[in-house]
Amino acid sequence: MKPVDEERIAARLAKLMAMICVRNTGIEKLHAGTVPVSHTGDCSDVFITDADGRQIPWPDASHIDDDQMRSLMRQIVDRLYTFHLKVDDQEFRDHLDRWLTVAERWDEPKLDEAFLATNTGGEAKLPR
């Protein structure tokens, strides 16, 4: 297979997997809600007041707790697992084809150099 064909297939697959395995998960709940108004554009002028009265700058606030992160990651892993196990099933592929028409409208992916660096002896370290 030619490299250009491999890249085209990888791009389609990446967008499709992002759409059905990541986007349509609990991440939608995190995305829902009221977006704060920011006059600076970077939310450095937005603060959250917690139950103890602390003013926390929006960029410094956690927007997902450990339980939510654990739940989200389980859902994504389960969907990726299902994707890989069922990708040869024709009924599942028909389902994927319907989603692919939406995912193909997304921007083309590019190589993530920082991700490559973490897997080739770069400075990023695995969590303990």
Side-chain angles (χ1 to χ4, degrees), residues 7-39:
E7 290 174 12
R8 180 182 49 79
I9 291 168
R12 291 181 79 199
L13 187 57
K15 290 190 284 185
L16 178 61
M17 290 177 74
M19 169 71 78
I20 68 168
C21 298
V22 180
R23 171 129 191 215
N24 293 333
T25 64
I27 205 166
E28 293 295 342
K29 285 183 184 177
L30 295 172
H31 183 254
T34 304
V35 176
V37 173
S38 173
H39 296 289

PDB file of all heavy atoms in Angstrom, residues 7-39:
ATOM      1  N   GLU A   7      -1.985   6.980   4.901  1.00  0.00           N
ATOM      2  CA  GLU A   7      -2.312   8.221   5.608  1.00  0.00           C
ATOM      3  C   GLU A   7      -3.797   8.543   5.494  1.00  0.00           C
ATOM      4  O   GLU A   7      -4.427   8.973   6.470  1.00  0.00           O
ATOM      5  CB  GLU A   7      -1.467   9.374   5.073  1.00  0.00           C
ATOM      6  CG  GLU A   7      -0.014   9.261   5.435  1.00  0.00           C
ATOM      7  CD  GLU A   7       0.855  10.315   4.787  1.00  0.00           C
ATOM      8  OE1 GLU A   7       0.317  11.294   4.216  1.00  0.00           O
ATOM      9  OE2 GLU A   7       2.082  10.168   4.852  1.00  0.00           O
ATOM     10  N   ARG A   8      -4.379   8.340   4.319  1.00  0.00           N
ATOM     11  CA  ARG A   8      -5.805   8.610   4.118  1.00  0.00           C
ATOM     12  C   ARG A   8      -6.647   7.690   4.988  1.00  0.00           C
ATOM     13  O   ARG A   8      -7.577   8.140   5.662  1.00  0.00           O
ATOM     14  CB  ARG A   8      -6.170   8.427   2.644  1.00  0.00           C
ATOM     15  CG  ARG A   8      -7.633   8.694   2.318  1.00  0.00           C
ATOM     16  CD  ARG A   8      -7.959   8.452   0.845  1.00  0.00           C
ATOM     17  NE  ARG A   8      -7.479   7.165   0.333  1.00  0.00           N
ATOM     18  CZ  ARG A   8      -8.104   5.992   0.542  1.00  0.00           C
ATOM     19  NH1 ARG A   8      -9.192   5.943   1.254  1.00  0.00           N
ATOM     20  NH2 ARG A   8      -7.604   4.878   0.032  1.00  0.00           N
ATOM     21  N   ILE A   9      -6.309   6.415   5.016  1.00  0.00           N
ATOM     22  CA  ILE A   9      -7.058   5.452   5.821  1.00  0.00           C
ATOM     23  C   ILE A   9      -6.891   5.760   7.309  1.00  0.00           C
ATOM     24  O   ILE A   9      -7.859   5.743   8.068  1.00  0.00           O
ATOM     25  CB  ILE A   9      -6.606   4.007   5.490  1.00  0.00           C
ATOM     26  CG1 ILE A   9      -7.065   3.640   4.075  1.00  0.00           C
ATOM     27  CG2 ILE A   9      -7.145   3.019   6.508  1.00  0.00           C
ATOM     28  CD1 ILE A   9      -6.442   2.377   3.525  1.00  0.00           C
ATOM     29  N   ALA A  10      -5.662   6.059   7.723  1.00  0.00           N
ATOM     30  CA  ALA A  10      -5.411   6.384   9.133  1.00  0.00           C
ATOM     31  C   ALA A  10      -6.184   7.633   9.552  1.00  0.00           C
ATOM     32  O   ALA A  10      -6.729   7.693  10.656  1.00  0.00           O
ATOM     33  CB  ALA A  10      -3.913   6.575   9.374  1.00  0.00           C
ATOM     34  N   ALA A  11      -6.259   8.628   8.677  1.00  0.00           N
ATOM     35  CA  ALA A  11      -6.990   9.862   8.991  1.00  0.00           C
ATOM     36  C   ALA A  11      -8.478   9.577   9.157  1.00  0.00           C
ATOM     37  O   ALA A  11      -9.108  10.053  10.106  1.00  0.00           O
ATOM     38  CB  ALA A  11      -6.772  10.906   7.894  1.00  0.00           C
ATOM     39  N   ARG A  12      -9.043   8.802   8.242  1.00  0.00           N
ATOM     40  CA  ARG A  12     -10.472   8.460   8.329  1.00  0.00           C
ATOM     41  C   ARG A  12     -10.757   7.671   9.594  1.00  0.00           C
ATOM     42  O   ARG A  12     -11.731   7.941  10.303  1.00  0.00           O
ATOM     43  CB  ARG A  12     -10.914   7.664   7.111  1.00  0.00           C
ATOM     44  CG  ARG A  12     -10.937   8.470   5.835  1.00  0.00           C
ATOM     45  CD  ARG A  12     -11.397   7.658   4.668  1.00  0.00           C
ATOM     46  NE  ARG A  12     -12.855   7.555   4.720  1.00  0.00           N
ATOM     47  CZ  ARG A  12     -13.558   6.643   4.081  1.00  0.00           C
ATOM     48  NH1 ARG A  12     -12.971   5.732   3.341  1.00  0.00           N
ATOM     49  NH2 ARG A  12     -14.877   6.630   4.168  1.00  0.00           N
ATOM     50  N   LEU A  13      -9.903   6.706   9.894  1.00  0.00           N
ATOM     51  CA  LEU A  13     -10.079   5.873  11.074  1.00  0.00           C
ATOM     52  C   LEU A  13      -9.940   6.689  12.356  1.00  0.00           C
ATOM     53  O   LEU A  13     -10.727   6.542  13.295  1.00  0.00           O
ATOM     54  CB  LEU A  13      -9.064   4.729  11.050  1.00  0.00           C
ATOM     55  CG  LEU A  13      -9.194   3.658  12.106  1.00  0.00           C
ATOM     56  CD1 LEU A  13     -10.571   3.010  12.079  1.00  0.00           C
ATOM     57  CD2 LEU A  13      -8.112   2.606  11.909  1.00  0.00           C
ATOM     58  N   ALA A  14      -8.964   7.588  12.400  1.00  0.00           N
ATOM     59  CA  ALA A  14      -8.761   8.425  13.586  1.00  0.00           C
ATOM     60  C   ALA A  14      -9.973   9.305  13.857  1.00  0.00           C
ATOM     61  O   ALA A  14     -10.437   9.413  15.001  1.00  0.00           O
ATOM     62  CB  ALA A  14      -7.509   9.292  13.411  1.00  0.00           C
ATOM     63  N   LYS A  15     -10.506   9.935  12.811  1.00  0.00           N
ATOM     64  CA  LYS A  15     -11.675  10.804  12.996  1.00  0.00           C
ATOM     65  C   LYS A  15     -12.895   9.992  13.411  1.00  0.00           C
ATOM     66  O   LYS A  15     -13.655  10.414  14.290  1.00  0.00           O
ATOM     67  CB  LYS A  15     -11.954  11.598  11.716  1.00  0.00           C
ATOM     68  CG  LYS A  15     -10.887  12.658  11.453  1.00  0.00           C
ATOM     69  CD  LYS A  15     -11.265  13.603  10.345  1.00  0.00           C
ATOM     70  CE  LYS A  15     -11.110  13.004   8.979  1.00  0.00           C
ATOM     71  NZ  LYS A  15     -11.365  13.986   7.900  1.00  0.00           N
ATOM     72  N   LEU A  16     -13.069   8.834  12.805  1.00  0.00           N
ATOM     73  CA  LEU A  16     -14.207   7.987  13.149  1.00  0.00           C
ATOM     74  C   LEU A  16     -14.117   7.509  14.594  1.00  0.00           C
ATOM     75  O   LEU A  16     -15.090   7.583  15.342  1.00  0.00           O
ATOM     76  CB  LEU A  16     -14.264   6.783  12.192  1.00  0.00           C
ATOM     77  CG  LEU A  16     -15.373   5.776  12.449  1.00  0.00           C
ATOM     78  CD1 LEU A  16     -16.740   6.441  12.304  1.00  0.00           C
ATOM     79  CD2 LEU A  16     -15.247   4.601  11.489  1.00  0.00           C
ATOM     80  N   MET A  17     -12.948   7.042  15.007  1.00  0.00           N
ATOM     81  CA  MET A  17     -12.783   6.564  16.382  1.00  0.00           C
ATOM     82  C   MET A  17     -12.960   7.709  17.382  1.00  0.00           C
ATOM     83  O   MET A  17     -13.555   7.516  18.443  1.00  0.00           O
ATOM     84  CB  MET A  17     -11.426   5.893  16.551  1.00  0.00           C
ATOM     85  CG  MET A  17     -11.337   4.570  15.807  1.00  0.00           C
ATOM     86  SD  MET A  17      -9.715   3.812  15.917  1.00  0.00           S
ATOM     87  CE  MET A  17      -9.761   3.224  17.599  1.00  0.00           C
ATOM     88  N   ALA A  18     -12.461   8.885  17.049  1.00  0.00           N
ATOM     89  CA  ALA A  18     -12.648  10.036  17.938  1.00  0.00           C
ATOM     90  C   ALA A  18     -14.133  10.357  18.077  1.00  0.00           C
ATOM     91  O   ALA A  18     -14.613  10.649  19.173  1.00  0.00           O
ATOM     92  CB  ALA A  18     -11.883  11.249  17.414  1.00  0.00           C
ATOM     93  N   MET A  19     -14.861  10.275  16.963  1.00  0.00           N
ATOM     94  CA  MET A  19     -16.295  10.586  16.971  1.00  0.00           C
ATOM     95  C   MET A  19     -17.082   9.589  17.814  1.00  0.00           C
ATOM     96  O   MET A  19     -17.825   9.973  18.709  1.00  0.00           O
ATOM     97  CB  MET A  19     -16.829  10.595  15.536  1.00  0.00           C
ATOM     98  CG  MET A  19     -18.340  10.642  15.418  1.00  0.00           C
ATOM     99  SD  MET A  19     -19.088  12.206  15.864  1.00  0.00           S
ATOM    100  CE  MET A  19     -18.745  13.133  14.408  1.00  0.00           C
ATOM    101  N   ILE A  20     -16.930   8.298  17.534  1.00  0.00           N
ATOM    102  CA  ILE A  20     -17.802   7.339  18.195  1.00  0.00           C
ATOM    103  C   ILE A  20     -17.257   6.791  19.502  1.00  0.00           C
ATOM    104  O   ILE A  20     -18.029   6.305  20.322  1.00  0.00           O
ATOM    105  CB  ILE A  20     -18.196   6.171  17.261  1.00  0.00           C
ATOM    106  CG1 ILE A  20     -17.009   5.300  16.932  1.00  0.00           C
ATOM    107  CG2 ILE A  20     -18.875   6.682  16.011  1.00  0.00           C
ATOM    108  CD1 ILE A  20     -17.394   3.999  16.266  1.00  0.00           C
ATOM    109  N   CYS A  21     -15.954   6.875  19.717  1.00  0.00           N
ATOM    110  CA  CYS A  21     -15.375   6.313  20.938  1.00  0.00           C
ATOM    111  C   CYS A  21     -15.056   7.363  21.992  1.00  0.00           C
ATOM    112  O   CYS A  21     -14.880   7.030  23.152  1.00  0.00           O
ATOM    113  CB  CYS A  21     -14.116   5.520  20.602  1.00  0.00           C
ATOM    114  SG  CYS A  21     -14.402   4.102  19.533  1.00  0.00           S
ATOM    115  N   VAL A  22     -14.930   8.619  21.588  1.00  0.00           N
ATOM    116  CA  VAL A  22     -14.588   9.672  22.546  1.00  0.00           C
ATOM    117  C   VAL A  22     -15.676  10.745  22.610  1.00  0.00           C
ATOM    118  O   VAL A  22     -16.220  11.023  23.671  1.00  0.00           O
ATOM    119  CB  VAL A  22     -13.216  10.315  22.208  1.00  0.00           C
ATOM    120  CG1 VAL A  22     -12.877  11.413  23.202  1.00  0.00           C
ATOM    121  CG2 VAL A  22     -12.128   9.252  22.175  1.00  0.00           C
ATOM    122  N   ARG A  23     -16.010  11.325  21.465  1.00  0.00           N
ATOM    123  CA  ARG A  23     -16.945  12.449  21.470  1.00  0.00           C
ATOM    124  C   ARG A  23     -18.315  12.064  22.023  1.00  0.00           C
ATOM    125  O   ARG A  23     -18.860  12.751  22.864  1.00  0.00           O
ATOM    126  CB  ARG A  23     -17.106  13.006  20.060  1.00  0.00           C
ATOM    127  CG  ARG A  23     -18.236  14.018  19.995  1.00  0.00           C
ATOM    128  CD  ARG A  23     -17.868  15.282  19.377  1.00  0.00           C
ATOM    129  NE  ARG A  23     -18.940  16.239  19.597  1.00  0.00           N
ATOM    130  CZ  ARG A  23     -19.292  17.142  18.741  1.00  0.00           C
ATOM    131  NH1 ARG A  23     -18.649  17.252  17.617  1.00  0.00           N
ATOM    132  NH2 ARG A  23     -20.259  17.982  19.016  1.00  0.00           N
ATOM    133  N   ASN A  24     -18.890  11.007  21.571  1.00  0.00           N
ATOM    134  CA  ASN A  24     -20.236  10.620  22.007  1.00  0.00           C
ATOM    135  C   ASN A  24     -20.189   9.789  23.289  1.00  0.00           C
ATOM    136  O   ASN A  24     -20.706   8.685  23.357  1.00  0.00           O
ATOM    137  CB  ASN A  24     -20.951   9.862  20.883  1.00  0.00           C
ATOM    138  CG  ASN A  24     -21.231  10.742  19.696  1.00  0.00           C
ATOM    139  OD1 ASN A  24     -21.363  11.950  19.829  1.00  0.00           O
ATOM    140  ND2 ASN A  24     -21.310  10.155  18.527  1.00  0.00           N
ATOM    141  N   THR A  25     -19.529  10.337  24.305  1.00  0.00           N
ATOM    142  CA  THR A  25     -19.415   9.681  25.612  1.00  0.00           C
ATOM    143  C   THR A  25     -19.801  10.689  26.692  1.00  0.00           C
ATOM    144  O   THR A  25     -20.373  11.738  26.401  1.00  0.00           O
ATOM    145  CB  THR A  25     -17.958   9.216  25.864  1.00  0.00           C
ATOM    146  OG1 THR A  25     -17.114  10.373  25.915  1.00  0.00           O
ATOM    147  CG2 THR A  25     -17.466   8.266  24.787  1.00  0.00           C
ATOM    148  N   GLY A  26     -19.401  10.403  27.917  1.00  0.00           N
ATOM    149  CA  GLY A  26     -19.642  11.312  29.027  1.00  0.00           C
ATOM    150  C   GLY A  26     -18.975  12.661  28.855  1.00  0.00           C
ATOM    151  O   GLY A  26     -19.281  13.609  29.587  1.00  0.00           O
ATOM    152  N   ILE A  27     -18.086  12.778  27.887  1.00  0.00           N
ATOM    153  CA  ILE A  27     -17.450  14.071  27.627  1.00  0.00           C
ATOM    154  C   ILE A  27     -18.490  15.107  27.200  1.00  0.00           C
ATOM    155  O   ILE A  27     -18.307  16.307  27.394  1.00  0.00           O
ATOM    156  CB  ILE A  27     -16.308  13.938  26.597  1.00  0.00           C
ATOM    157  CG1 ILE A  27     -15.298  15.056  26.784  1.00  0.00           C
ATOM    158  CG2 ILE A  27     -16.816  13.873  25.178  1.00  0.00           C
ATOM    159  CD1 ILE A  27     -13.989  14.820  26.064  1.00  0.00           C
ATOM    160  N   GLU A  28     -19.601  14.635  26.641  1.00  0.00           N
ATOM    161  CA  GLU A  28     -20.679  15.546  26.244  1.00  0.00           C
ATOM    162  C   GLU A  28     -21.269  16.258  27.461  1.00  0.00           C
ATOM    163  O   GLU A  28     -21.629  17.426  27.377  1.00  0.00           O
ATOM    164  CB  GLU A  28     -21.770  14.787  25.479  1.00  0.00           C
ATOM    165  CG  GLU A  28     -21.330  14.252  24.130  1.00  0.00           C
ATOM    166  CD  GLU A  28     -20.987  15.333  23.114  1.00  0.00           C
ATOM    167  OE1 GLU A  28     -21.384  16.497  23.274  1.00  0.00           O
ATOM    168  OE2 GLU A  28     -20.299  14.989  22.134  1.00  0.00           O
ATOM    169  N   LYS A  29     -21.337  15.570  28.607  1.00  0.00           N
ATOM    170  CA  LYS A  29     -21.827  16.210  29.837  1.00  0.00           C
ATOM    171  C   LYS A  29     -20.874  17.310  30.286  1.00  0.00           C
ATOM    172  O   LYS A  29     -21.298  18.347  30.784  1.00  0.00           O
ATOM    173  CB  LYS A  29     -21.978  15.180  30.961  1.00  0.00           C
ATOM    174  CG  LYS A  29     -23.156  14.274  30.823  1.00  0.00           C
ATOM    175  CD  LYS A  29     -23.252  13.352  32.015  1.00  0.00           C
ATOM    176  CE  LYS A  29     -24.378  12.367  31.849  1.00  0.00           C
ATOM    177  NZ  LYS A  29     -24.435  11.419  32.977  1.00  0.00           N
ATOM    178  N   LEU A  30     -19.580  17.077  30.118  1.00  0.00           N
ATOM    179  CA  LEU A  30     -18.591  18.084  30.489  1.00  0.00           C
ATOM    180  C   LEU A  30     -18.666  19.293  29.571  1.00  0.00           C
ATOM    181  O   LEU A  30     -18.378  20.417  29.979  1.00  0.00           O
ATOM    182  CB  LEU A  30     -17.182  17.497  30.433  1.00  0.00           C
ATOM    183  CG  LEU A  30     -16.891  16.383  31.426  1.00  0.00           C
ATOM    184  CD1 LEU A  30     -15.530  15.771  31.139  1.00  0.00           C
ATOM    185  CD2 LEU A  30     -16.951  16.907  32.841  1.00  0.00           C
ATOM    186  N   HIS A  31     -19.054  19.058  28.354  1.00  0.00           N
ATOM    187  CA  HIS A  31     -19.150  20.118  27.354  1.00  0.00           C
ATOM    188  C   HIS A  31     -20.440  20.921  27.515  1.00  0.00           C
ATOM    189  O   HIS A  31     -20.505  22.090  27.136  1.00  0.00           O
ATOM    190  CB  HIS A  31     -19.076  19.489  25.957  1.00  0.00           C
ATOM    191  CG  HIS A  31     -19.084  20.467  24.849  1.00  0.00           C
ATOM    192  ND1 HIS A  31     -20.173  20.665  24.045  1.00  0.00           N
ATOM    193  CD2 HIS A  31     -18.130  21.321  24.399  1.00  0.00           C
ATOM    194  CE1 HIS A  31     -19.893  21.589  23.144  1.00  0.00           C
ATOM    195  NE2 HIS A  31     -18.658  22.004  23.335  1.00  0.00           N
ATOM    196  N   ALA A  32     -21.458  20.297  28.084  1.00  0.00           N
ATOM    197  CA  ALA A  32     -22.763  20.950  28.253  1.00  0.00           C
ATOM    198  C   ALA A  32     -22.679  22.020  29.350  1.00  0.00           C
ATOM    199  O   ALA A  32     -21.779  22.017  30.171  1.00  0.00           O
ATOM    200  CB  ALA A  32     -23.817  19.908  28.614  1.00  0.00           C
ATOM    201  N   GLY A  33     -23.622  22.905  29.350  1.00  0.00           N
ATOM    202  CA  GLY A  33     -23.689  23.911  30.399  1.00  0.00           C
ATOM    203  C   GLY A  33     -23.416  25.304  29.873  1.00  0.00           C
ATOM    204  O   GLY A  33     -23.239  25.526  28.677  1.00  0.00           O
ATOM    205  N   THR A  34     -23.362  26.218  30.795  1.00  0.00           N
ATOM    206  CA  THR A  34     -23.148  27.619  30.461  1.00  0.00           C
ATOM    207  C   THR A  34     -21.658  27.908  30.338  1.00  0.00           C
ATOM    208  O   THR A  34     -20.882  27.610  31.242  1.00  0.00           O
ATOM    209  CB  THR A  34     -23.750  28.524  31.562  1.00  0.00           C
ATOM    210  OG1 THR A  34     -25.125  28.188  31.718  1.00  0.00           O
ATOM    211  CG2 THR A  34     -23.606  29.984  31.213  1.00  0.00           C
ATOM    212  N   VAL A  35     -21.278  28.497  29.244  1.00  0.00           N
ATOM    213  CA  VAL A  35     -19.884  28.896  29.041  1.00  0.00           C
ATOM    214  C   VAL A  35     -19.721  30.289  29.645  1.00  0.00           C
ATOM    215  O   VAL A  35     -20.501  31.195  29.348  1.00  0.00           O
ATOM    216  CB  VAL A  35     -19.525  28.911  27.533  1.00  0.00           C
ATOM    217  CG1 VAL A  35     -18.110  29.406  27.320  1.00  0.00           C
ATOM    218  CG2 VAL A  35     -19.721  27.528  26.925  1.00  0.00           C
ATOM    219  N   PRO A  36     -18.720  30.473  30.508  1.00  0.00           N
ATOM    220  CA  PRO A  36     -18.557  31.783  31.125  1.00  0.00           C
ATOM    221  C   PRO A  36     -18.118  32.840  30.114  1.00  0.00           C
ATOM    222  O   PRO A  36     -17.428  32.538  29.150  1.00  0.00           O
ATOM    223  CB  PRO A  36     -17.466  31.552  32.176  1.00  0.00           C
ATOM    224  CG  PRO A  36     -16.749  30.336  31.731  1.00  0.00           C
ATOM    225  CD  PRO A  36     -17.727  29.513  30.955  1.00  0.00           C
ATOM    226  N   VAL A  37     -18.511  34.084  30.380  1.00  0.00           N
ATOM    227  CA  VAL A  37     -18.097  35.214  29.552  1.00  0.00           C
ATOM    228  C   VAL A  37     -16.690  35.616  29.986  1.00  0.00           C
ATOM    229  O   VAL A  37     -16.402  35.739  31.175  1.00  0.00           O
ATOM    230  CB  VAL A  37     -19.065  36.416  29.734  1.00  0.00           C
ATOM    231  CG1 VAL A  37     -18.549  37.642  29.012  1.00  0.00           C
ATOM    232  CG2 VAL A  37     -20.455  36.032  29.270  1.00  0.00           C
ATOM    233  N   SER A  38     -15.828  35.818  29.012  1.00  0.00           N
ATOM    234  CA  SER A  38     -14.462  36.251  29.290  1.00  0.00           C
ATOM    235  C   SER A  38     -14.140  37.417  28.360  1.00  0.00           C
ATOM    236  O   SER A  38     -14.177  37.272  27.143  1.00  0.00           O
ATOM    237  CB  SER A  38     -13.478  35.101  29.044  1.00  0.00           C
ATOM    238  OG  SER A  38     -12.155  35.568  29.157  1.00  0.00           O
ATOM    239  N   HIS A  39     -13.811  38.552  28.953  1.00  0.00           N
ATOM    240  CA  HIS A  39     -13.445  39.712  28.142  1.00  0.00           C
ATOM    241  C   HIS A  39     -11.997  39.626  27.649  1.00  0.00           C
ATOM    242  O   HIS A  39     -11.642  40.267  26.668  1.00  0.00           O
ATOM    243  CB  HIS A  39     -13.665  41.003  28.922  1.00  0.00           C
ATOM    244  CG  HIS A  39     -15.112  41.240  29.253  1.00  0.00           C
ATOM    245  ND1 HIS A  39     -16.046  41.574  28.307  1.00  0.00           N
ATOM    246  CD2 HIS A  39     -15.788  41.143  30.426  1.00  0.00           C
ATOM    247  CE1 HIS A  39     -17.229  41.693  28.869  1.00  0.00           C
ATOM    248  NE2 HIS A  39     -17.104  41.423  30.159  1.00  0.00           N
TER     249      HIS A  39
END
